[in-house]
Amino acid sequence: MACEIANGEGRPCKMVVVADDCAIPRSKGETGARGVAGTIFVHKVARATAAAGKSLDELHAMASLCNSRIWSLGVALDAVTIPGATTMNNRLEGNKIEIGLGIHGEAGIRQSKMMSADEIAKEMVDTVHEFGYKPLNGSGIEKIAEGDNVALLVNNLGGTSNFEIAILTRSIVLYLEKVVKCKVTRIFVGALMTSFDMHGVSLSILSLDENNKIAELLDEASDAPAWCKADVWGQTMSERPSATLLPEVVVKPIAASDVINETVSIPNFSNLAKAAISASCTALIENEPKLTEWDPIVGDGDCGITMARGANEVIKRLEGGMLPLESPSKLLAALADAISASMGGTSGIIFELMLRKASTYLMEAQKSGKVVDE
């Protein structure tokens, strides 16, 4: 409509119809496939071309080239919530997902039982790969081949957490590179085409052209608020930047001459400490149900589980002889290590901080000759 109005007013305007949804067969009547998240790639390429000062014909040509090499598929656990509607779209109640669900809640290819991230990735990539794409100047359907460069858009459909979408993105990339054996050179992850409250993800695969024109336009900077910086993997790089491990900071070992042997005036300290630790941990484990019952009243409901996890780790290390019972400062530091390795949440941080502070206080007191009575 906007294109026709503009042309009617004497403003030169051209149109590109995006129909990248693989859930709709190419043979479907007059309407054809739906345009879904792949249109984001077309918008980005068109904008970068225009910003470079190219003509309308050149912009139309680049947008059309990009459009011809995209195909997409969505998967959702919940359908869209329509603002103001008197009824809920509840056809996905239970442990089900829908493959190919439209962004407005339109029916997809099929419903399925819940799958793992790896299974969903395989389903999405296989469906998109088999559907193929129609090159702008080609006569038939083509598929990405081994060694081809592709860009991915893993789009949050509206109600998916960053944690979930990151796990699925990893599965998608691994499957594409290990099974399809293409090169995923760019990964865009974000909420770019959404539906209200839809818990799902769409995958758009863009087969990059041999001359790398599309890739260069995708890499152009953008100040669009939702546009996300891509993880770019160049031809000369040995591994993906996001997969590169940062070197660990090496701490110089403490020399034997620098270790201060504490003077402990409490008789039978090792046995007393062992008994106290064991009794405390046993009490926490036995009372885990009660702590879990109480916590939702003032917290998030995981206090008992978190405490029990930490207590079990401490007991395991105590029984395995991994706690230096003869040295109060070293014992407190070792307990902090056990808490750090096993407990999460606020309580884990608080307990670890308390134990580490107590450990360093005792060490400093020993160095200064201060007597700690309590």
Side-chain angles (χ1 to χ4, degrees):
M1 182 62 72
C3 181
E4 294 302 325
I5 292 173
N7 283 322
E9 294 176 347
R11 305 167 187 263
C13 188
K14 290 192 175 185
M15 182 171 62
V16 175
V17 178
V18 180
D20 57 312
D21 192 356
C22 295
I24 304 296
R26 287 191 173 90
S27 58
K28 183 181 181 296
E30 296 292 331
T31 59
R34 300 176 292 221
V36 287
T39 192
I40 301 296
F41 278 140
V42 179
H43 280 89
K44 179 62 173 68
V45 166
R47 181 265 179 197
T49 305
K54 302 298 182 180
S55 67
L56 175 61
D57 288 338
E58 290 173 307
L59 190 155
H60 182 264
M62 281 308 305
S64 298
L65 174 65
C66 178
N67 181 40
S68 70
R69 305 178 74 87
I70 304 171
W71 58 122
S72 306
L73 185 74
V75 172
L77 285 70
D78 292 304
V80 61
T81 298
I82 306 297
T86 57
T87 58
M88 296 287 290
N89 188 336
N90 57 7
R91 72 172 186 267
L92 283 176
E93 285 187 330
N95 194 31
K96 292 189 295 186
I97 62 174
E98 187 156 340
I99 299 162
L101 186 71
I103 58 174
H104 303 110
E106 306 97 326
I109 300 172
R110 64 183 176 89
Q111 292 186 355
S112 168
K113 65 178 180 62
M114 184 62 69
M115 302 179 183
S116 68
D118 287 344
E119 290 170 334
I120 292 174
K122 180 180 185 303
E123 181 76 28
M124 296 180 82
V125 172
D126 284 349
T127 301
V128 172
H129 186 219
E130 287 302 314
F131 192 85
Y133 66 96
K134 297 181 70 173
L136 190 60
N137 299 318
S139 57
I141 305 299
E142 293 188 13
K143 300 178 183 179
I144 49 174
E146 181 175 341
D148 283 357
N149 293 331
V150 300
L152 300 185
L153 169 58
V154 185
N155 174 57
N156 185 342
L157 286 172
T160 308
S161 69
N162 290 337
F163 182 68
E164 292 170 306
I165 204 169
I167 292 173
L168 181 59
T169 299
R170 177 182 182 275
S171 296
I172 290 170
V173 172
L174 289 176
Y175 189 78
L176 274 167
E177 294 186 339
K178 291 185 177 181
V179 179
V180 183
K181 299 186 183 303
C182 62
K183 297 177 181 178
V184 182
T185 65
R186 283 156 183 80
I187 307 169
F188 300 88
V189 182
L192 296 168
M193 179 176 281
T194 63
S195 292
F196 186 54
D197 206 29
M198 183 181 283
H199 190 181
V201 171
S202 68
L203 167 66
S204 298
I205 301 179
L206 169 58
S207 177
L208 299 173
D209 58 296
E210 294 179 358
N211 297 321
N212 227 29
K213 293 180 180 179
I214 296 176
E216 292 173 359
L217 295 169
L218 290 177
D219 292 344
E220 287 292 328
S222 173
D223 56 5
W227 184 250
C228 44
K229 186 177 180 181
D231 181 21
V232 178
W233 184 26
Q235 299 295 325
T236 60
M237 299 179 184
S238 58
E239 61 181 344
R240 197 178 309 284
S242 60
T244 304
L245 295 176
L246 297 177
E248 184 176 350
V249 176
V250 179
V251 180
K252 183 180 179 181
I254 299 175
S257 58
D258 295 332
V259 176
I260 299 175
N261 294 318
E262 294 168 300
T263 302
V264 182
S265 59
I266 301 174
N268 201 24
F269 175 79
S270 295
N271 290 334
L272 290 173
K274 183 175 183 179
I277 293 170
S278 180
S280 300
C281 290
T282 300
L284 285 171
I285 294 169
E286 291 176 350
N287 287 281
E288 179 271 320
K290 185 61 67 176
L291 290 169
T292 300
E293 178 186 344
W294 288 339
D295 190 38
I297 300 173
V298 294
D300 55 7
D302 66 346
C303 180
I305 297 171
T306 302
M307 293 287 189
R309 193 161 53 232
N312 278 310
E313 180 65 23
V314 170
I315 285 182
K316 183 179 78 172
R317 298 190 183 201
L318 181 66
E319 294 176 347
M322 300 168 65
L323 301 181
L325 298 169
E326 71 288 345
S327 168
S329 64
K330 294 177 182 177
L331 173 59
L332 290 167
L335 288 171
D337 289 341
I339 295 302
S340 177
S342 59
M343 290 179 66
T346 304
S347 56
I349 296 172
I350 291 174
F351 281 121
E352 182 184 352
L353 182 61
M354 176 190 72
L355 292 165
R356 293 204 187 282
K357 181 61 179 179
S359 174
T360 55
Y361 176 79
L362 290 178
M363 286 191 291
E364 291 300 323
Q366 182 69 27
K367 289 179 182 178
S368 63
K370 181 179 179 180
V371 177
V372 180
D373 296 322
E374 296 181 359

